[in-house]
């Protein structure tokens, strides 16, 4: 049963555990007051985000399940029952302290965009705000642009758009991604990361775990810039796809992805970062002394600004971090004192 919950490995460890308890994994499954984990069966945890204001960790799963872990109560609360505002798997979530809400996107065929209002303890579906006919595709990721009060959304078949909360409108940018070639040919945009220093939004994706694409949307000029050739210089090419992005500041965007070669069928993750000042992608996979990415698939990233560490979750129930000060990837998979994994 626990093997199904590989997405929780990264984010629970990153946010709740590692910073408080050191390099150990603490099993929180017994803090499930409403038997949430028993109700969800074989469904997988696919997204988590923390709200430091109310001390909650919001949890999204496959088949529309939604809950939160209240760190004050030390309990998991189920919020799925009787809520028909969305369907499909919750693929990504982002918390906005400006609006005190948590947005999430789903990958059902229509692509739902929903937010949970923490103040009133209620959810709202904003699909009706779609003046540009954006929805109708499976949505993959969301990130918050706090400067412009926009929530950027990406999804399958080159889907890119944003929700303007002040106007309650969702604007489609698919015409931009279609005409300028980065994601032409129906490439899926799987990851989005907002760069507040350069006022741009980084985009990454692929198709069927191949066809790696990377670039950014320039908010000022309303155009996209293709950076895929920067990946090719470190041999991230057709056999790879990007699975997640995180912007950490100082012009640095971390990239994680996977390879699923047709030939030897060797799955391998990769880690790199894009330096906007150098206009170059730097390979970090070769600094993986613990073999975290060797034979695994890179899946999720999260940044700890206090310690300047980028945490990673990979396929096969693995997790670890990239220490930027030492320029090394550390494998933490074996630091599981309560046999959570």
């Amino acid at each position: 049963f626990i093997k199904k919950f590989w997405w929780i490995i990264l984010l629970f460890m990153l946010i709740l555990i590692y910073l408080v308890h050191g390099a150990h994994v603490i099993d929180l499954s017994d803090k499930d007051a409403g038997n949430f984990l028993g109700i969800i069966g074989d469904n997988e945890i696919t997204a988590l985000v923390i709200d430091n204001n109310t001390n909650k960790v919001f949890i999204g799963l496959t088949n529309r399940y939604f809950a939160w872990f209240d760190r004050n109560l030390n309990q998991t609360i189920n919020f799925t029952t009787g809520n028909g505002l969305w369907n499909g798997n919750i693929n990504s979530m982002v918390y906005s302290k400006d609006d005190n809400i948590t947005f999430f996107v789903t990958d059902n065929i229509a692509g739902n965009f929903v937010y949970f209002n923490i103040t009133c303890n209620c959810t709202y579906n904003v699909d009706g705000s779609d003046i540009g006919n954006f929805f109708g595709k499976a949505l993959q990721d969301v990130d918050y642009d706090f400067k412009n009060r926009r929530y950027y959304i990406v999804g399958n078949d080159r889907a890119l758009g944003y929700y303007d909360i002040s106007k309650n409108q969702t604007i489609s940018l698919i015409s931009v991604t279609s005409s300028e070639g980065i994601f032409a040919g129906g490439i899926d945009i799987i990851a989005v990361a907002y760069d507040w220093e350069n006022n741009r939004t980084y985009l990454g994706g692929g198709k069927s775990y191949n066809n790696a694409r990377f670039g950014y949307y320039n908010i000022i000029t309303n155009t996209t810039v293709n950076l895929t050739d920067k990946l090719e210089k470190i041999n991230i090419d057709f056999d790879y796809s990007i699975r997640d992005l995180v912007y950490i500041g100082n012009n640095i965007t971390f990239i994680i992805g996977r390879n699923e070669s047709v030939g030897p069928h060797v799955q391998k993750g990769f880690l790199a970062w894009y330096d906007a000042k150098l206009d170059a992608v730097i390979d970090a996979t070769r600094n993986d002394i613990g073999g975290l990415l060797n034979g695994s698939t890179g899946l999720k990233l999260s940044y700890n600004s206090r310690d300047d560490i980028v945490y990673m979750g990979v396929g096969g129930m693995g997790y670890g971090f990239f220490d930027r000060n030492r320029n090394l990837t550390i494998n933490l998979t074996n630091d599981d004192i309560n046999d959570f994994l």
Side-chain angles (χ1 to χ4, degrees):
F1 168 75
I2 288 296
K3 290 183 178 180
K4 284 286 183 180
F5 292 88
W6 50 268
W7 288 94
I8 203 173
I9 294 168
L10 173 65
L11 292 167
F12 261 15
M13 187 277 299
L14 320 183
I15 301 170
L16 294 175
I17 301 164
Y18 192 87
L19 299 181
V20 179
H21 297 286
H24 299 296
V25 172
I26 310 299
D27 189 354
L28 298 175
S29 302
D30 62 338
K31 310 304 180 186
D32 186 11
N35 192 30
F36 177 65
L37 297 179
I39 294 170
I40 63 176
D42 289 337
N43 289 293
E44 299 176 2
I45 294 175
T46 49
L48 294 98
V49 68
I50 192 168
D51 165 16
N52 283 316
N53 288 340
T54 61
N55 223 15
K56 293 182 175 67
V57 177
F58 292 95
I59 310 167
L61 299 95
T62 53
N63 289 317
R64 64 181 291 275
Y65 283 98
F66 176 64
W68 63 83
F69 177 76
D70 190 316
R71 294 189 293 173
N72 296 322
L73 300 176
N74 204 23
Q75 292 181 352
T76 303
I77 311 299
N78 183 9
F79 197 74
T80 308
T81 305
N83 204 325
L85 294 178
W86 68 90
N87 291 292
N89 306 322
I90 297 176
N91 273 350
S92 180
M93 294 196 280
V94 64
Y95 170 71
S96 162
K97 66 179 181 180
D98 295 332
D99 303 307
N100 199 28
I101 55 179
T102 296
F103 268 93
F104 55 88
V105 296
T106 73
D107 68 352
N108 73 310
I109 195 168
N112 297 131
F113 191 38
V114 179
Y115 69 84
F116 175 75
N117 187 312
I118 296 162
T119 304
C120 70
N121 201 38
C122 50
T123 51
Y124 295 91
N125 186 319
V126 298
D127 292 357
S129 68
D130 184 13
I131 63 171
N133 196 29
F134 173 73
F135 296 116
K137 301 175 186 292
L139 303 179
Q140 299 291 347
D141 201 8
V142 56
D143 203 9
Y144 179 50
D145 168 358
F146 57 86
K147 281 190 173 180
N148 302 291
R149 296 286 303 279
R150 295 176 175 179
Y151 295 83
Y152 280 94
I153 322 158
V154 297
N156 289 1
D157 191 13
R158 69 191 186 282
L160 170 65
Y162 65 86
Y163 175 69
D164 185 329
I165 193 166
S166 63
K167 298 178 181 178
N168 190 32
Q169 293 180 347
T170 301
I171 310 299
S172 174
L173 299 171
I174 292 177
S175 61
V176 179
T177 57
S178 299
S179 62
E180 298 182 22
I182 304 178
F183 300 98
I187 298 296
D188 300 334
I189 307 179
I190 299 168
V192 59
Y194 172 63
D195 170 356
W196 59 88
E197 293 171 317
N198 297 296
N199 207 24
R200 61 177 63 161
T201 301
Y202 286 98
L203 309 168
K207 191 72 173 179
S208 301
Y209 303 115
N210 300 122
N211 294 285
R213 296 289 189 274
F214 177 57
Y216 66 83
Y217 170 70
N218 187 315
I219 297 168
I220 302 299
T221 63
N222 192 37
T223 58
T224 55
V225 176
N226 194 341
L227 300 173
T228 305
D229 63 322
K230 313 297 181 185
L231 291 174
E232 294 170 352
K233 290 181 179 179
I234 63 166
N235 297 317
I236 302 302
D237 51 23
F238 181 83
D239 289 333
Y240 290 82
S241 70
I242 292 174
R243 311 310 294 175
D244 202 14
L245 301 169
V246 62
Y247 185 74
I248 69 170
N250 294 317
N251 295 287
I252 301 296
T253 302
F254 267 82
I255 310 164
I256 198 168
R258 62 180 289 175
N259 147 293
E260 194 164 345
S261 300
V262 176
H265 297 286
V266 175
Q267 292 186 345
K268 183 180 180 181
F270 76 87
L271 179 71
W273 73 84
Y274 173 71
D275 187 322
K277 286 185 177 179
L278 299 177
D279 191 26
V281 173
I282 292 85
D283 183 16
T285 309
R286 59 187 175 184
N287 300 328
D288 181 13
I289 60 173
L292 177 65
L293 294 166
N294 185 24
S296 299
T297 55
L299 296 169
K300 283 291 180 180
L301 295 171
S302 185
Y303 180 57
N304 168 11
S305 58
R306 186 188 71 178
D307 300 317
D308 201 14
I309 283 173
V310 179
Y311 288 101
M312 293 175 280
V314 304
M317 303 200 317
Y319 68 94
F321 64 87
F322 180 77
D323 187 330
R324 297 186 66 228
N325 296 311
R326 292 188 290 168
N327 199 30
L328 289 175
T329 295
I330 309 298
N331 191 340
L332 295 174
T333 309
N334 294 324
D335 294 312
D336 182 10
I337 60 175
N338 287 334
D339 195 28
F340 174 66
L341 307 181

